[in-house]
């Protein structure tokens, strides 16, 4: 059974940093795209960042470009999200996603059912 477990969330002040981790188990995602999404209260789930199966491809939502960095450790079956210069509007539950099919870009572009999802980790940025 596939499991994605996020960690690293918490409370941080504006301008601070956090590093999220997502550990996958149940299968290897070394040839699968993986990504991060977030959902703030009362808002729809938003794309944050993705990393392709080859690691040479990364993509970011406009609101986080230049501040967030996605990376992965294939041997550890883990994806990371380094978040710098955090703002109150970054407050949300952050979800890890892993594409079910290999050789993708990690954006879950074919819909929510095209990915496995973690349960999320809360990030709160105080002003």
């Amino acid at each position: 059974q596939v499991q994605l477990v996020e960690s690293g969330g918490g409370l941080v002040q504006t301008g601070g940093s956090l590093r999220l981790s997502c550990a996958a188990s149940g299968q290897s995602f070394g040839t699968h795209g993986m990504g991060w999404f977030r959902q703030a209260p009362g808002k729809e789930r938003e794309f944050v960042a993705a990393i392709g199966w080859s690691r040479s491809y990364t993509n970011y939502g406009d609101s986080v470009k230049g501040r967030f960095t996605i990376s992965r450790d294939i041997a550890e079956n883990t994806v990371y999200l380094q978040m710098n210069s955090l703002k109150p509007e970054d407050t949300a539950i952050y979800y890890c996603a892993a594409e079910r099919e290999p050789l993708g870009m990690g954006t879950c572009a074919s819909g929510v059912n095209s990915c496995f999802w973690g349960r999320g980790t809360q990030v709160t940025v105080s002003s």
Side-chain angles (χ1 to χ4, degrees):
Q1 181 180 0
V2 171
Q3 282 192 315
L4 303 177
V5 180
E6 302 96 336
S7 61
L11 174 64
V12 64
Q13 291 185 335
T14 297
S17 297
L18 284 174
R19 188 191 194 208
L20 305 184
S21 299
C22 171
S25 61
Q27 74 171 68
S28 172
F29 288 98
T31 57
H32 296 238
M34 299 184 74
W36 288 93
F37 295 74
R38 68 187 183 187
Q39 188 166 18
K43 295 187 176 181
E44 294 187 353
R45 190 168 294 190
E46 174 189 16
F47 167 73
V48 175
I51 185 164
W53 67 276
S54 69
R55 290 184 292 180
S56 62
Y57 170 87
T58 57
N59 191 16
Y60 296 92
D62 288 342
S63 60
V64 307
K65 282 180 181 176
R67 300 187 297 122
F68 290 11
T69 302
I70 188 170
S71 61
R72 67 190 299 174
D73 185 329
I74 291 178
E76 294 294 326
N77 218 19
T78 299
V79 64
Y80 303 97
L81 185 68
Q82 178 66 43
M83 306 187 295
N84 298 328
S85 302
L86 283 161
K87 306 174 182 179
E89 50 263 45
D90 293 319
T91 295
I93 298 175
Y94 283 70
Y95 297 92
C96 172
E99 292 183 332
R100 293 177 182 268
E101 296 298 322
L103 308 183
M105 298 295 104
T107 59
C108 305
S110 298
V112 293
N113 291 331
S114 67
C115 281
F116 296 103
W117 295 90
R119 293 191 173 187
T121 185
Q122 176 71 47
V123 171
T124 303
V125 185
S126 63
S127 57

